Amino acid sequence: MNMINTTPLLAGSVFGALAIIFGAFGAHALKKHMDTERLESFETGVKYQMYHAILLILIGILPQTDHTYYAANLIIIGVILFSFSIYGLVLSATFGKKIKILGPITPIGGLSLVAGWIMLFVSFLSL
């Protein structure tokens, strides 16, 4: 496979920019509406999104293999399910109508992130 996979580069760039926007939004606009626990949950989503944005950029510049391809896709799915479900849970609870269906989605996203890291580990074994 060894060609450049632009998907992790593009996703990492978008996730990184959105993490900064969401972090600023949480720190400034949401701070006055949220209790400390909700704000910390929101910040957890932002942190994990940024960590994985950076990881996706790194995966994008690695030699591409089937394992790095699957790692990137698992991490992209994981960020969407993990971080964005946290945002949805926190925002919906803050503004009156908690979307409970998002609760079980967060750990699925976390498992997808873990699977992505494991797939990345497997790709390093092949070097």
Side-chain angles (χ1 to χ4, degrees), residues 78 81-86 89 101-112:
L81 296 178
F82 183 83
S83 291
F84 286 80
S85 67
I86 289 175
L89 281 167
I101 190 73
L102 294 176
I105 292 173
T106 307
I108 294 169
L111 287 172
S112 182

Side-chain angles (χ1 to χ4, degrees), residues 9-39:
L9 297 173
L10 296 171
S13 300
V14 169
F15 286 161
L18 288 175
I20 293 168
I21 292 167
F22 294 161
F25 181 65
H28 300 291
L30 295 179
K31 192 177 193 177
K32 49 191 148 202
H33 300 287
M34 287 186 187
D35 61 25
T36 304
E37 184 179 340
R38 285 187 184 149
L39 194 55

